[in-house]
Amino acid sequence: MAQLADELGQLDQAARAYDLALIEDPGHAAALDARGALAFRLGDYPTADLIYRDLGPGESLLGDDELAHRRSIIAEHLHRDAEALQLARQATVAAPGRRDFVMRVQDLATRLGDLETAIGAARAAFELVPLGDHEGRLGAHFALVELLRASGDLERARTHLDHIIRDYPHDARALEALADIATARGDWASATRYLYQLVPLAPSPRERAERLYRLGEIVLVHLHDVDRADDVFLRASDLDPTHVPTLRRLLDAYWRGDDPGALVEVATELASVGVLAGPTTISEPSLARALVAAALVGDTALAGRLGAALGEAAPVQVASALAELVDRTGRLQLASAATAVAELGRRGLLDLATLRLASLPEVNAALGSQ
């Protein structure tokens, strides 16, 4: 602390000396330059700003490029970002080979939303990275990709990412960006290809499960490949049995797979974490299928919770779920499911009369024999 105080004292004395010199000769360029340098070092940016404005070309020991750079920093500290960008560009004109100057233009232009200038600067910055600096070139590539994506130029962003993948085929960040771009363009086949490559690169089972879930969603919703999607969701569940989005999808996967016991296990897990209570992100058809499975395996308590989650929609949705079992054989088939659902009605857990009104004739026939 004593050393710092001593240094500040010396700087203050020097500033006073330069101020006296400037009183005697206000236009003394060398004194102005030295006083400006002191103000800058002390963080007195308003004073440095005023002094450096009075210096003409060639009058600073800094050189025109460094002077413009320093004035850009001062303008930024004084919250004049547009001026800071203009001065930064002057510095790059004076010293086009200075990568730090070009990157300052890139940063300021990005902050101001001038993406065209930022992209131009990012390209110039990339060209200035030494060929042997792999990390630097990779970082510059990604900076340019993000700017291109922000500008909406997904095609050029994809081209740059392809260059990265060519040199770094297992770069997770590049694959993730390619998957995002493919998703934004609706190129679902490419998106799934990149996501498949990303799965083994995830650093933890939970993150692998998350990537598998994302993959499964695309396969199911956009490629309409139900069997493949179910397989992906099951793999995700093996990696992280508590991943709630995957569990939601497994309700339907186990329904299609004729496994009411597994379906009930999944519904029980979802109920245990409170997903069934209140506004739910689980679709009403999925809840109704789980309710039918719960009734079928005799889990009346779970069936009641599922019915409560469905509310007034329960009879209609359960009628639709039972209709899906027409002509099915196996553990999930209409006759036994209708018997179990009718028992719920007798226990007051389901409005059986409304259910009958909403049901297909085949379902009503099964219910009617109870």
Side-chain angles (χ1 to χ4, degrees), residues 314-334:
V316 173
Q317 291 297 332
V318 171
S320 295
L322 290 172
E324 294 176 13
L325 300 180
V326 174
D327 297 329
R328 278 183 62 166
T329 59
R331 287 170 290 183
L332 283 166
Q333 49 89 23
L334 181 58

Side-chain angles (χ1 to χ4, degrees), residues 82-95:
E83 181 184 346
L85 173 58
Q86 179 184 4
L87 288 164
R89 296 182 76 172
Q90 288 179 19
T92 61
V93 171

Side-chain angles (χ1 to χ4, degrees), residues 18-359:
Y18 285 125
D19 287 342
L20 289 173
L22 288 170
I23 290 173
E24 295 178 4
D25 183 3
H28 195 290
L32 279 171
D33 190 33
R35 184 63 180 89
L38 272 175
F40 182 81
R41 186 175 177 187
L42 289 167
D44 183 1
Y45 298 114
T47 299
D49 181 48
L50 289 172
I51 291 173
Y52 280 136
R53 285 177 182 273
D54 289 337
L55 289 178
E59 291 185 340
S60 173
L61 291 175
L62 294 172
D64 292 343
D65 55 343
E66 284 287 358
L67 179 61
H69 178 66
R70 181 169 290 186
R71 290 187 62 199
S72 173
I73 294 172
I74 293 168
E76 183 183 9
H77 277 286
L78 297 178
H79 309 291
R80 303 198 306 257
D81 286 351
E83 181 184 346
L85 173 58
Q86 179 184 4
L87 288 164
R89 296 182 76 172
Q90 288 179 19
T92 61
V93 171
R98 286 284 299 271
R99 184 169 171 241
D100 56 335
F101 287 5
V102 177
M103 291 183 68
R104 178 167 181 78
V105 171
Q106 177 185 329
D107 292 341
L108 288 167
T110 300
R111 188 188 311 163
L112 288 167
D114 184 353
L115 294 181
E116 183 178 352
T117 297
I119 289 170
R123 290 185 185 281
F126 176 78
E127 295 299 327
L128 291 171
V129 180
L131 292 176
D133 183 359
H134 299 295
E135 288 300 317
R137 293 183 71 81
L138 192 59
H141 254 314
F142 278 119
L144 180 53
V145 165
E146 290 307 311
L147 286 168
L148 289 169
R149 290 177 66 181
S151 73
D153 193 343
L154 299 183
E155 182 58 34
R156 281 201 293 172
R158 185 192 61 78
T159 299
H160 278 278
L161 287 166
D162 285 340
H163 287 310
I164 295 174
I165 292 298
R166 180 191 61 199
D167 296 330
Y168 307 93
H170 302 298
D171 189 281
R173 186 177 172 188
L175 289 169
E176 184 77 37
L178 283 166
D180 289 342
I181 290 173
T183 298
R185 299 174 66 191
D187 183 357
W188 305 115
S190 293
T192 57
R193 184 174 71 253
Y194 295 129
L195 286 171
Y196 264 120
Q197 295 177 65
L198 273 169
V199 170
L201 299 177
S204 70
R206 181 168 185 80
E207 289 172 280
R208 286 197 293 276
E210 180 61 40
R211 288 176 180 177
L212 280 169
Y213 168 74
R214 183 181 171 192
L215 172 62
E217 285 291 294
I218 291 176
V219 172
L220 179 67
V221 176
H222 298 288
L223 298 182
H224 312 294
D225 190 337
V226 174
D227 291 340
R228 183 178 165 205
D230 286 350
D231 178 65
V232 172
F233 291 133
L234 287 168
R235 288 171 56 198
S237 179
D238 288 340
L239 288 167
D240 184 1
T242 64
H243 189 252
V244 170
T246 299
L247 292 174
R248 293 191 192 106
R249 286 301 190 188
L250 286 182
L251 292 175
D252 295 336
Y254 285 129
W255 176 265
R256 290 187 289 265
D258 194 43
D259 194 341
L263 199 162
V264 167
E265 287 183 13
V266 170
T268 301
E269 176 66 23
L270 289 169
S272 72
V273 295
V275 175
L276 303 184
T280 178
T281 55
I282 301 176
S283 71
E284 290 183 344
S286 297
L287 289 172
R289 293 165 189 145
L291 188 154
V292 170
L296 193 58
V297 303
D299 193 337
T300 305
L302 177 62
R305 295 182 71 176
L306 290 161
L310 280 164
E312 294 181 357
V316 173
Q317 291 297 332
V318 171
S320 295
L322 290 172
E324 294 176 13
L325 300 180
V326 174
D327 297 329
R328 278 183 62 166
T329 59
R331 287 170 290 183
L332 283 166
Q333 49 89 23
L334 181 58
S336 57
T339 300
V341 167
E343 180 62 25
L344 292 179
R346 283 193 291 271
R347 295 188 181 198
L349 297 175
L350 195 62
D351 184 346
L352 199 54
T354 304
L355 173 63
R356 291 180 188 278
L357 289 173
S359 294

